Amino acid sequence: MPSARFLPIALAAAALAGAVARPAGATQVAYVDGDQVWVSTLDGTQKRSLSGPSPDEKQWREVTQGDDGSVLGVRRESGKMGTINATRLWGPDGTLRGEGALTAPSGRTSYAFPVTLDLTPDGKTVVYGYANWTGFGLSTQYEFGTYAEGSSGWYVAPFDITDARAGTLVGRRVVANDSTTVLLQDDGSSVPHSNDFHPWFTGAGAGESVSRVDVAANGKLAAVETWPNGSGTNGRKVAMVPFASLGAPPPSDGSDCYLPAQGEPSYVSISQDGTRMAWHDDRGVVVAGTPVWFPSAAASTCNLSSPPVVISASGTMPSLGPSTAATPAAGPGPGSGGGTPGGGSSGGAAAAPKVSLSKTLRAAALKAGVSLKVTVAKAGKVTATAKVGKKTVATGKATAKRAGTVEVKLKATKAYRKRLSSLRRKVLAIAVKAGGRTVTVKRTLR
């Protein structure tokens, strides 16, 4: 259990404080805001929506970032079980890498996931905590653990990491808990697909439970989120604990501390080098420097190496990593003509176009043309290309005279005008390009 005590400054502590004071230069923060997935620089001045609005009734609700800068977003329907979801994986620069879904073994009465969400360093595997139950009334059986599966294109039962609650990753190894003890997955060639764990340290005191743990990729700093038993999420707090190395015992000198927050903090994320951190509290998504230890002998609240910066007042679920999506090397950057969610600046660059289209689309309608309403941030050419698989089946274009909404007529190509019935029940991917930015929406043709 973190002690939240402080002793006078020692040479080792001074060295550690110096280590955490260095900024994480390439780090950016991914988060969910306004039912979209966003990436922002750590000062909040440049932002970019990776997802755009959801193409269907599902809403963007969760996001995580891998150690390579890959970003995974999850869309789910409000009030529905966790199995009704879809995922999208972006590369570090914001390009689409793949799509899929989070799955679970069959046979449960109800499914709740992702409770936690994380990516392996190569972005190819996702781990996510679950809290499922089976049966009714007195016969109800609850199960808590973590699933692991491919981050895109997989629709099969995942590997079940049983009895390891709320799993996150440090490298490829899972860090989880059994309610009071923080567990570390044994290293080996099969990780994270393994049920071999050992206790690392006690993370909760009497009357408390661990809800989630995040560990820096270098293994030297952990954020332990806890709440009082029987209180739901009320009374949540976060202890910040330094370590000599991954798996080493916690400090015995009282050099841990509690994160200063407004309201109850959650979704703590630590940069790979342990110098920066992000979390959510009553201010929204905030980013700050990690603790400088031993601020005084009496204090139990962390002395942060740099003060919190509010990235988004309406955002949630921040995740730090080396993404470059908010600052693309070429072409227009993030933002929108009317500003970004949370009140941040867009850096003056053009926004991705926003596409309005009926949720149901008949294949036969492509003969006369389907109307797309496209909102753009500036004047210029707007094009739409619709494909089924690799085949282009419809195109359209228009010219926007100013920022605002323009209509694009999407009509079948000559090769498909008499073959539209063959496209029924096929997925149509419509790529709309404006101002150097492209958004893709998908519809299943009727």
Side-chain angles (χ1 to χ4, degrees):
M1 168 61 184
S3 62
R5 293 177 291 108
F6 293 87
L7 299 178
I9 296 177
L11 289 177
L16 180 57
V20 300
R22 293 192 303 270
T27 301
Q28 297 184 358
V29 58
Y31 58 99
V32 175
D33 194 358
D35 297 327
Q36 296 185 38
V37 173
W38 291 80
V39 177
S40 171
T41 54
L42 298 190
D43 58 6
T45 60
Q46 298 190 72
K47 301 178 181 181
R48 175 184 177 187
S49 171
L50 296 185
S51 64
S54 176
D56 52 30
E57 64 276 10
K58 299 181 180 71
Q59 298 173 324
W60 295 102
R61 294 183 176 274
E62 290 91 16
V63 68
T64 190
Q65 189 175 171
D67 289 345
D68 69 339
S70 299
V71 176
L72 181 79
V74 181
R75 300 192 339 264
R76 295 189 291 112
E77 291 187 49
S78 178
K80 301 292 182 69
M81 288 194 298
T83 50
I84 304 175
N85 73 81
T87 63
R88 187 170 292 176
L89 180 70
W90 295 273
D93 61 354
T95 57
L96 183 63
R97 280 187 172 178
E99 297 182 296
L102 305 181
T103 62
S106 61
R108 280 65 172 176
T109 304
S110 183
Y111 297 86
F113 62 80
V115 175
T116 54
L117 188 69
D118 211 346
L119 283 169
T120 52
D122 58 8
K124 294 181 179 180
T125 302
V126 57
V127 301
Y128 47 106
Y130 65 81
N132 305 331
W133 57 273
T134 304
F136 296 95
L138 296 177
S139 64
T140 300
Q141 293 183 328
Y142 296 92
E143 57 179 14
F144 304 92
T146 300
Y147 295 134
E149 69 174 330
S151 58
S152 67
W154 283 33
Y155 298 89
V156 298
F159 183 86
D160 191 355
I161 308 173
T162 57
D163 300 324
R165 302 186 183 194
T168 59
L169 290 165
V170 53
R172 294 186 62 86
R173 299 167 69 180
V174 174
V175 178
N177 73 85
D178 65 0
S179 183
T180 59
T181 303
V182 177
L183 310 174
L184 178 61
Q185 194 173 45
D186 296 346
D187 201 4
S189 59
S190 63
V191 295
H193 302 88
S194 169
N195 271 297
D196 296 325
F197 284 79
H198 64 271
W200 184 4
F201 62 95
T202 300
E208 291 184 332
S209 293
V210 176
S211 60
R212 179 182 174 274
V213 180
D214 188 71
V215 181
N218 63 13
K220 294 185 177 182
L221 181 60
V224 185
E225 302 179 23
T226 63
W227 55 47
N229 294 337
S231 67
T233 59
N234 295 327
R236 187 191 298 264
K237 59 185 179 181
V238 177
M240 304 297 300
V241 190
F243 294 89
S245 61
L246 180 64
S252 60
D253 59 6
S255 56
D256 54 286
C257 58
Y258 286 113
L259 180 68
Q262 293 184 16
E264 298 181 350
S266 59
Y267 300 119
V268 179
S269 177
I270 306 172
S271 66
Q272 282 64 39
D273 62 1
T275 66
R276 303 300 295 271
M277 61 187 298
W279 69 91
H280 175 269
D281 63 19
D282 287 352
R283 293 166 291 188
V285 169
V286 296
V287 170
T290 46
V292 177
W293 310 110
F294 302 106
S296 74
S300 62
T301 301
C302 298
N303 181 19
L304 301 179
S305 57
S306 62
V309 174
V310 178
I311 301 298
S312 167
S314 53
T316 187
M317 206 168 185
S319 182
L320 294 178
S323 172
T324 58
T327 51
S336 66
T340 57
S345 166
S346 68
K354 296 181 179 180
V355 181
S356 177
L357 174 65
S358 173
K359 292 183 178 180
T360 59
L361 187 61
R362 294 186 303 111
L366 291 171
K367 184 174 182 179
V370 173
S371 177
L372 307 179
K373 301 292 186 182
V374 183
T375 302
V376 297
K378 62 180 183 179
K381 183 181 293 186
V382 182
T383 62
T385 304
K387 294 185 177 183
V388 172
K390 296 183 179 180
K391 302 290 187 181
T392 299
V393 301
T395 60
K397 63 181 179 179
T399 300
K401 295 182 179 180
R402 63 185 66 86
T405 301
V406 64
E407 182 179 12
V408 178
K409 206 75 167 179
L410 186 67
K411 299 183 70 172
T413 62
K414 183 177 180 179
Y416 276 89
R417 285 173 195 160
K418 296 182 179 180
R419 301 170 51 198
L420 292 175
S421 61
S422 67
L423 301 179
R424 294 179 61 190
R425 294 183 292 277
K426 300 290 180 64
V427 175
L428 186 72
I430 308 168
V432 178
K433 184 176 181 179
R437 302 286 299 278
T438 302
V439 168
T440 301
V441 296
K442 295 184 178 182
R443 293 292 187 271
T444 299
L445 295 170
R446 296 190 295 116

